[in-house]
Amino acid sequence: MTQTPLVDLRDICLSFGGVRAVDHVSIDLHAGEVVGLLGHNGAGKSTLIKILSGAYQKDSGEIRINGELADINSPRDARRYNIETIYQTLALADNLDAASNLFLGRELTTALGFVNDAQMEAETRKIMARLNPNFKKLKEPVSALSGGQRQSVAIARAVYFNAKILIMDEPTAALGVHETQMVADLIKELKAQGLGIFLISHDTREMLDLCDRVSVMKNGALVGTERVEDVTEDDILSMIIMGKNPKKAA
Amino acid sequence: MTDTSTDTTPAAPKRTLIQSLEIDLRLLGMIGAFAIVCITFNLLTEGRFLTPRNIFNLTIQTASVAIMATGMVFVIVTRHIDLAVGALLATCSAMMAMTQTTWLPQYLGLELGHPLIPWIAIAVGILTGALIGAFQGWLVGYMAIPAFIVTLGGLLVWRNVGWYLTNGQTIGPLDETYRAFGGISGTLGEFWSWIFGLVATAAALWILAASRRNKKAHGFPLKPLWAEGVVAAIVTIGIMGFIWILNSYQIPSRVLARDFAARGLEVPEGYSAAYGLPISVLLLIAVAVVMTIVARRTRLGRYIFATGGNPDAAELSGINTRLLTVKVFAIMGALCGLAALVASARLANHSNDIGTLDELRVIAAAVIGGTALSGGIGTIYGAILGALIMQSLQSGMAMVGVDAPLQNIVVGAVLVLAVLIDIIYRRRTGAG
Ligand SMILES: Nc1ncnc2c1ncn2[C@@H]1O[C@H](COP(=O)(O)OP(=O)(O)OP(=O)(O)O)[C@@H](O)[C@H]1O
Ligand SMILES: [Mg+2]
């Protein structure tokens, strides 16, 4: 691909105290592409994408969006670049209902500037009808929802606001087989609409199925990035475990 | 729907009376507790507790703590605490007392009794509260010092700043217009109290109708019409009944005679007048309405509750939680200023011990009213009801002749019990 990437992370570093959570990592993402991030627990995947979503500030390196240097210092900044994130920890306010969570930070308001709960609820019904037709608990606080239902709220929040760049950190970790399939279908649909998606998962087979390219991290560093058609599941596993790219070594 | 792993909506939802009315169960419980307290004391005092006079006194004794309790809801909902409210009230009261008796007359040359004096003094008091509150909020939000510590320090600091402002002296008498905010010396009178009742009822009914219209417009399920009717009737009877009770408290004839004599007149034959709605209670109602709107209908309120529910989620949603903390404490401070107005106006002077132990009453009111110390949950009306329950307990016990130490033991026990009941209730209903 020679066109300018949608997202270009270059030489990103971030340390927590003495721990190098992200160590000179460079990754890019194109429109209509799904790039998977793999690696052991604590490899630095979540930290890397949190830098892109504005939750953490990088120590060094640069972020380019559509080729232009982007200054992302807060989640608010990331939203301005149409970056939406589904966090591993879901990041929902448990005491609020689905609609309040979906619109949190971007409430619809009436002409007088008051929050318009009725309209937000109606919008939530609409998007939920598309994403998860079984979702009925609109009035209850999300603490009353199952893990999968909470997940659909988090996904709905990312999808509703016309994201161009979507970050999904283990979106299927809490889901049953059926719901996992729904998320997979959704990812394909969004990809077809031209979104760029960063996907994090520990399920290697699922990743090979959904992603165009996969990047493997270990101890904060990038082991390698490969097109899925060029590698086998075993290659990926050995990259994760050994921290070496078998194709490069060969 | 055969898929049991997902939501199951019962085919024919059986609705109980309370469900159809969509009344908050917790609210019902608190009203029940309040009713039990009132009826018990009424029996023990042989009917002296539920007289118009005593109810009037209860409302004016509750106003100051209730005003602060609405602000404490926001503080506790965002997982903080404010132990300095009583001390801050004293500082605001001292500022207002000094402004009207000393500073304005001495430095601006406004003579005592000048019509601008009370209003400038009130503005100074509220501003003082808001600024000190904002400062404490800044220490909590931006400097990351726990609110418990900041306000524990504030408890000592502000009470004694108040002391220095007045050199430890009691300041009074306060301006007459100013004193009208305190209670018995400032009431609407019978006619205007009725007018207020009518306007309030009309507004409440309009809100009910508007909310139904709004639901209909979005195609949401509606309550049955009879249920709306019942709710409307309860609201109407509640408001008008309250006004009727206050309007039944007649001004004693010797007070009337004194008032007329002051104007060089005599009381006409058969003349009587009622106190009606105290201005301090009117102020409390206004605060309650505004704070409820803020909590439910504004982004600020939404962010307060979201931050309380999950601070990380709020932060990741782009909410500036540090600035939010400053705002919450500033609101609390401004309300301390308002409460200081009501409290010092009621006493007709400023004394150094004003508001002592109010922090405990205010926190207890919020907590009894269902505000969860773990954050994210609480209502304005609950806190006001909580304040009313606390005050009723205290006044009732005083009327029955319970010793002061035992009164405090009971109030302390009730606070712990209320929280226990709340925890059990939440566990049962699975909420929060
Ligand atoms: N807020 C933090 N403070 C200190 N250290 C952190 C913080 N967040 C992450 N780390 C450390 O950074 C490293 C990378 O963590 P990260 O959460 O990015 O891993 P991950 O690849 O997402 O793992 P998992 O698969 O378990 O989600 C770990 O060593 C972790 O302990
Ligand atoms: Mg992670």
Side-chain angles (χ1 to χ4, degrees):
Chain A
M1 285 194 222
T2 47
Q3 84 212 83
T4 13
L6 186 55
V7 181
D8 196 359
L9 299 173
R10 292 190 191 167
D11 222 20
I12 306 282
C13 293
L14 177 59
S15 303
F16 292 111
V19 184
R20 281 228 163 211
V22 178
D23 194 3
H24 296 283
V25 174
S26 299
I27 288 184
D28 61 359
L29 172 72
H30 290 80
E33 186 188 34
V34 180
V35 170
L37 284 179
L38 285 151
H40 275 307
N41 292 124
K45 310 177 294 291
S46 296
T47 308
L48 177 67
I49 58 95
K50 278 185 179 171
I51 291 170
L52 179 58
S53 70
Y56 292 155
Q57 271 90 59
K58 59 186 171 2
D59 292 338
S60 64
E62 59 183 47
I63 301 174
R64 284 175 185 273
I65 308 281
N66 288 320
E68 280 175 33
L69 215 52
D71 198 16
I72 298 177
N73 292 311
S74 71
R76 209 171 266 273
D77 291 341
R79 286 181 167 185
R80 267 196 282 113
Y81 289 104
N82 293 309
I83 300 170
E84 293 290 339
T85 310
I86 297 159
Y87 293 98
Q88 187 171 7
T89 49
L90 289 187
L92 300 176
D94 280 341
N95 54 334
L96 302 182
D97 61 17
S100 301
N101 268 294
L102 207 160
F103 287 92
L104 191 57
R106 288 178 286 202
E107 288 75 12
L108 302 177
T109 51
T110 62
L112 292 174
F114 293 117
V115 293
N116 193 340
D117 281 316
Q119 198 190 341
M120 288 194 277
E121 190 185 327
E123 292 292 323
T124 306
R125 271 178 210 276
K126 258 188 254 166
I127 181 133
M128 281 306 183
R130 184 158 81 84
L131 293 182
N132 185 354
N134 290 322
F135 192 93
K136 295 271 155 42
K137 288 189 178 168
L138 278 143
K139 292 277 190 200
E140 266 135 295
V142 295
S143 59
L145 305 184
S146 74
Q149 290 166 335
R150 291 162 57 85
Q151 197 85 45
S152 28
V153 175
I155 293 175
R157 173 163 68 182
V159 173
Y160 179 83
F161 290 97
N162 298 321
K164 295 214 171 64
I165 300 155
L166 188 59
I167 301 169
M168 303 173 105
D169 195 349
E170 306 198 21
T172 55
L175 301 187
V177 187
H178 179 66
E179 285 82 2
T180 302
Q181 190 51 47
M182 272 179 26
V183 172
D185 292 342
L186 179 70
I187 290 174
K188 286 175 189 154
E189 185 191 326
L190 294 172
K191 169 185 148 89
Q193 285 173 18
L195 275 77
I197 300 174
F198 276 122
L199 179 64
I200 298 178
S201 169
H202 288 285
D203 184 338
T204 317
R205 190 160 310 148
E206 177 189 61
M207 291 292 255
L208 287 175
D209 175 37
L210 286 173
C211 299
D212 298 286
R213 288 182 295 153
V214 289
S215 296
V216 177
M217 288 178 74
K218 188 176 166 77
N219 298 332
L222 186 69
V223 178
T225 303
E226 294 296 336
R227 304 199 59 76
V228 285
E229 52 273 25
D230 300 343
V231 283
T232 62
E233 203 176 334
D234 285 343
D235 292 338
I236 304 272
L237 286 174
S238 73
M239 280 167 87
I240 294 172
I241 296 163
M242 317 282 283
K244 277 196 228 115
N245 191 338
K247 307 195 43 124
K248 291 243 171 78
Chain B
M1 258 185 274
T2 47
D3 188 350
T4 47
S5 69
T6 54
D7 280 356
T8 48
T9 25
K14 228 173 53 192
R15 312 192 79 192
T16 65
L17 178 67
I18 288 168
Q19 278 171 341
S20 320
L21 294 177
E22 289 178 23
I23 292 178
D24 184 1
L25 261 183
R26 179 191 301 280
L27 173 64
L28 216 58
M30 273 189 293
I31 292 176
F34 181 50
I36 290 171
V37 169
C38 289
I39 291 167
T40 309
F41 281 121
N42 202 41
L43 290 175
L44 291 175
T45 58
E46 287 151 356
R48 275 183 301 130
F49 191 78
L50 288 181
T51 55
R53 173 162 180 270
N54 196 47
I55 291 173
F56 180 94
N57 284 333
L58 265 182
T59 61
I60 60 178
Q61 286 162 351
T62 307
S64 163
V65 165
I67 287 173
M68 288 190 281
T70 63
M72 190 61 80
V73 172
F74 285 1
V75 173
I76 297 180
V77 162
T78 49
R79 302 190 178 187
H80 297 303
I81 195 78
D82 193 339
L83 300 174
V85 292
L88 189 48
L89 181 146
T91 294
C92 294
S93 170
M95 287 291 286
M96 289 190 282
M98 290 308 284
T99 304
Q100 59 186 282
T101 59
T102 310
W103 298 337
L104 287 179
Q106 264 174 25
Y107 303 128
L108 283 182
L110 294 181
E111 51 197 281
L112 286 176
H114 189 284
L116 274 180
I117 281 186
W119 305 110
I120 297 177
I122 292 169
V124 166
I126 293 173
L127 205 65
T128 303
L131 285 177
I132 293 176
F135 173 62
Q136 297 192 135
W138 175 77
L139 289 176
V140 176
Y142 285 87
M143 301 292 106
I145 310 172
F148 183 85
I149 297 301
V150 169
T151 59
L152 186 60
L155 172 85
L156 285 170
V157 170
W158 306 121
R159 171 138 327 264
N160 294 293
V161 166
W163 193 93
Y164 275 111
L165 286 170
T166 61
N167 270 320
Q169 285 170 326
T170 296
I171 308 289
L174 299 173
D175 180 272
E176 201 175 319
T177 313
Y178 181 91
R179 286 208 312 263
F181 287 93
I184 197 101
S185 46
T187 57
L188 287 190
E190 202 164 353
F191 175 73
W192 287 108
S193 297
W194 281 125
I195 295 292
F196 173 81
L198 288 174
V199 171
T201 306
L205 295 183
W206 183 80
I207 289 171
L208 284 179
S211 124
R212 188 178 173 87
R213 222 179 314 128
N214 197 2
K215 277 188 189 165
K216 203 168 188 169
H218 284 97
F220 296 162
L222 297 173
K223 289 189 245 194
L225 257 181
W226 67 262
E228 299 273 14
V230 171
V231 171
I234 292 174
V235 167
T236 308
I237 292 170
I239 296 175
M240 295 314 269
F242 179 60
I243 299 289
W244 175 70
I245 290 171
L246 291 178
N247 270 342
S248 314
Y249 179 26
Q250 299 288 326
I251 303 176
S253 49
R254 62 188 159 76
V255 178
L256 273 180
R258 198 176 59 208
D259 287 357
F260 275 80
R263 284 178 275 154
L265 300 168
E266 270 189 37
V267 184
E269 262 301 304
Y271 180 87
S272 72
Y275 283 109
L277 193 67
I279 290 175
S280 57
V281 175
L282 198 63
L283 208 57
L284 169 61
I285 294 170
V287 167
V289 169
V290 171
M291 290 292 280
T292 303
I293 291 173
V294 170
R296 298 227 173 134
R297 288 273 160 267
T298 67
R299 288 192 164 163
L300 175 63
R302 187 59 45 90
Y303 296 169
I304 286 171
F305 280 85
T307 304
N310 187 345
D312 295 334
E315 189 83 46
L316 292 175
S317 301
I319 295 168
N320 187 342
T321 51
R322 296 170 167 204
L323 184 60
L324 190 79
T325 306
V326 175
K327 288 181 189 166
V328 166
F329 277 88
I331 292 173
M332 181 74 250
L335 290 171
C336 288
L338 214 54
L341 162 65
V342 170
S344 62
R346 189 162 83 86
L347 302 172
N349 55 48
H350 163 81
S351 62
N352 279 301
D353 63 347
I354 193 168
T356 302
L357 288 185
D358 268 8
E359 52 281 346
L360 299 185
R361 296 195 189 100
V362 169
I363 293 168
V367 169
I368 288 178
T371 310
L373 285 167
S374 50
I377 297 169
T379 57
I380 302 297
Y381 64 73
I384 294 174
L385 252 173
L388 202 55
I389 291 173
M390 295 272 298
Q391 187 59 49
S392 306
L393 265 178
Q394 210 136 28
S395 314
M397 284 189 291
M399 281 176 86
V400 175
V402 177
D403 311 337
L406 185 55
Q407 284 183 28
N408 287 333
I409 291 175
V410 172
V411 169
V414 165
L415 173 62
V416 177
L417 189 70
V419 173
L420 177 65
I421 292 173
D422 198 55
I423 289 172
I424 294 171
Y425 169 81
R426 287 215 178 105
R427 213 178 280 148
R428 286 268 170 81
T429 56

